[in-house]
Amino acid sequence: MAIDLDAPIRFLRTAFLPDDWIAVLLKSHDTGGTAQRVGPVSLVASAKFQAWLRAENARRFSVFVSVNAIRPQRKARTREAIGEIRHVFLDADREGPAVLSAIAARQDLPSPTCVIHTSPNRLHVLWRVTRFSKEGVEALQRQLAADLGTDKAAVSCAQLTRVPGFLNHKYRPGAVVTSEYTSVR
């Protein structure tokens, strides 16, 4: 399995502003154990933090990050702690390529900013946005999930996505999480 060691940093720099705070969640699919850290993107992108994430990923912890920015100094990833909406998010937990085709066929949707391939046939779709309210992004995500047949439970503005460049240990063997950037707008 080829893992792109630069993929997490590229994703963080594309997905967030340099002074954003984000939540990182580690989850063991073997034990159910979790660990969460909240801090600035600069901390999460640091060599020391990335080395810690790699070590935990090697211990079969999957690595997740919030799709939206957390208010500075917060310690949890709750809906109330979300400070800025950075993405419209969809979780295609089946038929990922068909979801992408349906998005491409719609005249009312721009190309996604990023598609994260979480495992075979499964993906997360993100559109980078500004000036969305929590209520507005959640309503849009609910509508898009219904229209496109994606996960209707994954519509909270406090949603997580998998981080490219790590292994998804939900399945055995673990799948490399990859990303493709289709639009910079």
Side-chain angles (χ1 to χ4, degrees), residues 28-106:
S28 169
H29 294 283
D30 295 335
T31 68
T34 62
Q36 181 171 267
R37 302 291 184 272
V38 178
V41 169
S42 59
L43 170 70
V44 177
S46 72
K48 185 175 181 180
F49 200 96
Q50 288 294 306
W52 175 68
L53 292 177
R54 292 243 171 261
E56 294 303 303
N57 194 232
R59 292 181 49 225
R60 295 194 38 80
F61 278 80
S62 290
V63 182
F64 300 85
V65 67
S66 55
V67 297
N68 292 306
I70 308 292
R71 288 190 181 130
Q73 309 302 324
R74 296 294 173 114
K75 302 294 181 203
R77 178 193 48 90
T78 62
R79 187 177 188 281
E80 293 72 33
I82 300 299
E84 294 291 333
I85 301 300
R86 295 287 181 235
H87 299 96
V88 172
F89 171 85
L90 293 176
D91 180 355
D93 51 13
R94 58 183 163 75
E95 304 300 329
V99 170
L100 292 178
S101 293
I103 291 169
R106 288 186 56 161

Side-chain angles (χ1 to χ4, degrees), residues 7-179:
I9 306 306
R10 189 168 44 255
F11 175 73
L12 293 172
R13 289 184 178 151
T14 301
F16 298 99
L17 297 178
D19 60 344
D20 279 344
W21 279 52
I22 55 176
V24 175
L25 178 77
L26 298 174
K27 179 179 179 182
S28 169
H29 294 283
D30 295 335
T31 68
T34 62
Q36 181 171 267
R37 302 291 184 272
V38 178
V41 169
S42 59
L43 170 70
V44 177
S46 72
K48 185 175 181 180
F49 200 96
Q50 288 294 306
W52 175 68
L53 292 177
R54 292 243 171 261
E56 294 303 303
N57 194 232
R59 292 181 49 225
R60 295 194 38 80
F61 278 80
S62 290
V63 182
F64 300 85
V65 67
S66 55
V67 297
N68 292 306
I70 308 292
R71 288 190 181 130
Q73 309 302 324
R74 296 294 173 114
K75 302 294 181 203
R77 178 193 48 90
T78 62
R79 187 177 188 281
E80 293 72 33
I82 300 299
E84 294 291 333
I85 301 300
R86 295 287 181 235
H87 299 96
V88 172
F89 171 85
L90 293 176
D91 180 355
D93 51 13
R94 58 183 163 75
E95 304 300 329
V99 170
L100 292 178
S101 293
I103 291 169
R106 288 186 56 161
Q107 297 295 317
D108 62 334
L109 289 177
S111 296
T113 306
C114 180
V115 176
I116 299 175
H117 298 270
T118 62
S119 60
N121 212 29
R122 294 174 171 87
L123 49 87
H124 293 168
V125 181
L126 294 97
W127 287 268
R128 180 77 191 273
V129 297
T130 58
R131 297 188 296 269
F132 266 77
S133 68
K134 294 175 193 178
E135 297 77 16
V137 78
E138 289 173 345
L140 178 57
Q141 289 172 165
R142 263 191 301 282
Q143 183 62 53
L144 289 173
D147 291 353
L148 297 167
T150 60
D151 188 345
K152 292 178 181 84
V155 297
S156 168
C157 64
Q159 188 64 44
L160 296 167
T161 189
R162 291 184 184 275
V163 180
F166 292 98
L167 291 173
N168 170 356
H169 290 295
K170 186 174 183 179
Y171 309 101
R172 287 188 187 256
V176 178
V177 179
T178 62
S179 58

